[in-house]
Amino acid sequence: MRIGVNLGYWGRGTTGADQVALAQAADRLGYDSVWVAEAYGSDSPSMLAWIGALTEHVDLGSAVMQIPGRTPAMTAMTATTIDTMSGGRFRLGLGVSGPQVSEGWHGVPFRHPLGRTRDYVEIVRAAVRRDTVSHDGPYYPLPLPGGPGKALKLGSRPVRADIPVYLAAVGPKNLELTGEVADGWLAIFFSPEHAGDLLAALETGRRRGGRGPIEHAMTGFDVVATTPVVLVDDVAAAADHVRDYCALYIGGMGSREQNFYNQLACRMGFEDAAARIQDLYLAGRHREAAAAVPLEFIDETALLGSPARVASRLGRYEAAGVTTLSVAVGGGMTRDEALTTLDVVARVAGLEPPGPAA
């Protein structure tokens, strides 16, 4: 199992300079990859380009670039530019976001997210291959019918014709689509104890898309689980560092009727707690919502406690099928505390610093 770092996005107590410092530390310590997120503040490709110029070895992943925020062609241009400038280190993570951000921030209807994602990935892959791009799908018709546009191909020559594509997915149908069309899955609130149905949906998609050997459909597929790490010996006190994060997603990342993270918590067996968290959060009682997140939920989906306890619990992820564990070192930490956490995780995971870049 590889170990990566999820840097999130800056603006919630973290700065762009903090992200760069953590990425450079990950590069020195032998981490596999760094992943950068976006919501409606800092964007991921700008940060990844900056980080790519200041690192040598570590792979650069978007977790995610929002599908409603860019045309497929623009995403292909951005992906091939970062990949070429970094010497082939880019991984393209995509996600549809949610209805509030898609429609409220980007002005793009959230309807038919599965169909849109399928068409989007197809166009991006074709553009990266430098095919002459045309598409008949209902969501991204290219060229626009009846106008002066013509089918084009990418005007630059990237270093790779096949940049790895990852999808952020939560629901069963989206997981099947991820297995069918993508090279990896970006997971949030991943619990090794509740992973069976999620991985089965991915495998169903892999078989349907013919993207792996028949006997071992998950071969070559990258399961990336983002997992907060808090090195505080008292587990309950450690959990307090990520309560706000859990409450934001379970309670406020979406509407009452359409919150994918709340639905995930329900499928994990936390129906009553998920309903209470959402009621409190949507009523503006954010601290109470955070306090209502069960310790069991946090402990299942994060690495909490002493270095020895964290080391003893790492194996749960690999045994469950995770191929890249992407540790998140936020939770109100200072930069120095986050850097110390990266050092400790590197040690307990047995990472080795890379040699000189070729």
Side-chain angles (χ1 to χ4, degrees):
M1 183 175 69
R2 298 175 292 272
I3 308 294
V5 182
N6 190 300
L7 301 174
Y9 44 80
W10 51 266
R12 292 176 60 86
T14 302
T15 67
D18 292 334
Q19 288 188 317
V20 170
L22 292 171
Q24 290 177 315
D27 196 43
R28 292 192 303 270
L29 291 167
Y31 281 81
D32 167 74
S33 48
V34 294
W35 300 81
V36 174
E38 64 183 20
Y40 42 92
S42 59
D43 73 288
S44 58
S46 296
M47 282 306 306
L48 289 169
W50 194 277
I51 288 168
L54 298 172
T55 56
E56 296 181 281
H57 310 278
V58 71
D59 272 14
L60 312 164
S62 58
V64 296
M65 288 170 62
Q66 295 171 333
I67 285 175
R70 302 169 182 87
T71 66
M74 188 70 249
T75 289
M77 291 166 62
T78 302
T80 54
T81 299
I82 297 176
D83 195 54
T84 298
M85 296 302 291
S86 66
R89 290 191 280 147
F90 185 64
R91 305 182 194 180
L92 175 59
L94 299 169
V96 293
S97 190
Q100 290 178 319
V101 173
S102 181
E103 300 193 7
W105 184 247
H106 297 298
V108 175
F110 191 73
R111 297 187 300 272
H112 311 296
L114 295 181
R116 285 180 176 274
T117 299
R118 182 186 296 278
D119 283 6
Y120 197 98
V121 171
E122 183 178 324
I123 295 168
V124 168
R125 286 194 188 277
V128 171
R129 289 193 305 265
R130 298 192 76 240
D131 294 350
T132 299
V133 178
S134 61
H135 196 267
D136 295 329
Y139 310 112
Y140 304 99
L142 291 172
L144 283 175
K150 59 178 293 186
L152 300 171
K153 69 177 179 180
L154 189 69
S156 56
R157 293 186 178 275
V159 295
R160 290 189 292 176
D162 187 16
I163 293 173
V165 173
Y166 294 70
L167 292 179
V170 178
K173 294 298 183 183
N174 207 355
L175 285 166
E176 288 186 18
L177 177 68
T178 300
E180 182 180 351
V181 305
D183 303 298
W185 171 42
L186 301 173
I188 187 173
F189 296 127
F190 184 94
S191 166
E193 291 75 21
H194 292 88
D197 290 345
L198 306 178
L199 296 174
L202 289 168
E203 186 169 349
T204 296
R206 292 282 287 174
R207 293 185 186 282
R208 185 168 63 213
R211 295 186 57 81
I214 294 176
E215 300 84 0
H216 304 286
M218 295 297 285
T219 298
F221 188 82
D222 195 9
V223 175
V224 183
T226 294
T227 303
V229 179
V230 183
L231 296 175
V232 174
D233 287 355
D234 183 275
V235 173
D240 288 342
H241 286 257
V242 291
R243 285 187 178 279
D244 289 346
Y245 157 77
C246 294
L248 169 65
Y249 278 83
I250 297 171
M253 198 66 78
S255 64
R256 187 178 297 279
E257 297 76 22
Q258 199 168 29
N259 181 322
F260 306 122
Y261 311 101
N262 188 284
Q263 294 163 9
L264 174 62
C266 290
R267 290 195 297 272
M268 292 170 60
F270 296 97
E271 296 95 333
D272 291 344
R276 176 163 172 74
I277 294 164
Q278 187 175 65
D279 286 343
L280 290 168
Y281 203 96
L282 295 181
R285 297 158 65 182
H286 298 168
R287 290 185 179 178
E288 292 176 68
V293 180
L295 175 59
E296 182 185 358
F297 176 87
I298 301 173
D299 198 28
E300 282 188 17
T301 58
L303 287 166
L304 310 174
S306 67
R309 187 176 192 267
V310 167
S312 71
R313 293 171 68 78
L314 278 175
R316 299 160 50 242
Y317 291 89
E318 187 166 15
V322 172
T323 51
T324 301
L325 185 68
S326 183
V327 299
V329 288
M333 295 183 193
T334 66
R335 184 191 299 186
D336 286 345
E337 288 170 337
L339 290 169
T340 297
T341 300
L342 288 186
D343 281 330
V344 171
V345 171
R347 185 177 74 247
V348 301
L351 301 186
E352 296 183 2

